[in-house]
Amino acid sequence: MPRRISSAQMRSKLRQAQNKQKQAIAKYNREVRQHNQKVKQAVNRYNSEVRKHNARVRANRQKIDSELRKMRSSNSSKYQIVRTSAMTLNTYYERLDAKENDFEHSNFGYDFLDRSEQENANSLALSNALESDVEDSEGQQSDLLRTEINDMLQELSPELSNRWKGALFSLNPENPDAARHFCTSAREVFVQILDINAPDEKVMEKAPDCDKTPQGQPTRKEKVKYLLGRSGILTEEAVNFVDEDVKNVLSLFRVFNDGTHGSSGKFGITKLLSIKNRVEDGITYLFSICRHV
């Protein structure tokens, strides 16, 4: 026989059911509000990043256009290797930029494009700075020792950090070989960053048939390809640009090591700062690719 309940018990059960329903509705509405708030925050963050990206693009492209106009307005060049390398890098950048859509689904894609554009702008600016006969008064000798990448290099290797400090100490406007001494030390930093983050054995394990040097080691371009593959942005245009960017910085080392510039190798603070900043930014760019796995 079914158990009989009183009207009071029935009202109590109804209230309990109503309370549960209200709680469920309140929980649902709360979760909807939280979801909508998260979506709004995500949209705001995205829009903020887009605005920042667009602002950087405008600034970099204005700089690129301005530096290209300066370069093309001059028919002669004291540093033809640097000039030619800068123009070549710009060509590779234009090819990379034309493939922007290839990077839109990568977390690192747009950041990589921003950094690549900045590298291109820096390269053109340095070429023009070296050609200029005007040495402005901006910058002090203490600026030559100031660096933002020491912690980054320390993380990789204390030896690299010390080598970079030594490179900076060689920068002195009274030293006619300042650029050469700086570039000799800085070159090793580039080589070691590639070797530490793309060891020969890892590169050949990933691509046994990769291009190799006469000594049987993977070429620099193969190391770049390995790093970009880890970063999820492996395209022909990306590989060509990064490899050419490293080559562009290394071209400075060749220029200042060939011993043909004589007294013209003695630079003032402004030009030494331009050389230092170009190399430092190049190291940061390469490091960002190495660390984005």
Side-chain angles (χ1 to χ4, degrees), residues 152-184:
M152 176 196 310
L153 295 177
Q154 187 73 29
E155 178 187 335
L156 270 179
S157 163
E159 180 187 349
L160 277 188
S161 173
N162 290 334
R163 188 175 290 275
W164 178 245
K165 289 176 184 175
L168 295 179
F169 275 115
S170 71
L171 288 174
N172 188 318
E174 299 304 316
N175 176 10
D177 275 342
R180 182 173 67 84
H181 291 160
F182 170 74
C183 289
T184 298

Side-chain angles (χ1 to χ4, degrees), residues 66-244:
S66 173
E67 298 297 343
L68 280 172
R69 282 195 298 270
K70 288 181 189 176
M71 188 174 291
R72 288 166 177 163
S73 67
S74 174
N75 296 322
S76 61
S77 174
K78 291 178 289 186
Y79 296 93
Q80 188 60 48
I81 291 177
V82 177
R83 179 188 176 111
T84 300
S85 179
M87 294 300 290
T88 302
L89 185 66
N90 182 67
T91 299
Y92 278 113
Y93 173 72
E94 290 174 349
R95 294 174 186 171
L96 177 69
D97 187 49
K99 297 287 188 177
E100 178 182 354
N101 292 340
D102 291 350
F103 301 93
E104 64 181 2
H105 299 300
S106 168
N107 292 333
F108 183 47
Y110 283 120
D111 185 36
F112 170 72
L113 289 175
D114 281 352
R115 291 175 182 271
S116 299
E117 187 172 53
Q118 182 65 52
E119 283 294 283
N120 185 37
N122 290 348
S123 166
L124 294 168
L126 176 59
S127 179
N128 284 327
L130 291 177
E131 299 292 346
S132 174
D133 293 325
V134 178
E135 180 71 31
D136 61 46
S137 58
E138 291 184 8
Q140 300 178 356
Q141 192 162 337
S142 59
D143 295 331
L144 296 171
L145 295 175
R146 189 173 296 116
T147 182
E148 297 180 357
I149 66 171
N150 187 59
D151 290 344
M152 176 196 310
L153 295 177
Q154 187 73 29
E155 178 187 335
L156 270 179
S157 163
E159 180 187 349
L160 277 188
S161 173
N162 290 334
R163 188 175 290 275
W164 178 245
K165 289 176 184 175
L168 295 179
F169 275 115
S170 71
L171 288 174
N172 188 318
E174 299 304 316
N175 176 10
D177 275 342
R180 182 173 67 84
H181 291 160
F182 170 74
C183 289
T184 298
S185 296
R187 182 185 187 281
E188 188 61 25
V189 175
F190 269 88
V191 172
Q192 287 298 314
I193 288 176
L194 282 172
D195 287 347
I196 290 171
N197 289 282
D200 292 349
E201 62 273 14
K202 291 289 186 182
V203 176
M204 290 191 285
E205 179 184 331
K206 184 74 174 177
D209 298 325
C210 67
D211 292 335
K212 300 179 180 65
T213 67
Q215 291 74 36
Q217 300 167 312
T219 63
R220 180 182 65 241
K221 193 169 187 176
E222 291 291 348
K223 287 177 177 279
V224 167
K225 191 182 297 184
Y226 171 81
L227 293 171
L228 289 173
R230 289 195 322 176
S231 300
I233 50 175
L234 183 57
T235 70
E236 180 182 356
E237 291 77 17
V239 171
N240 287 338
F241 179 82
V242 176
D243 182 58
E244 189 62 35

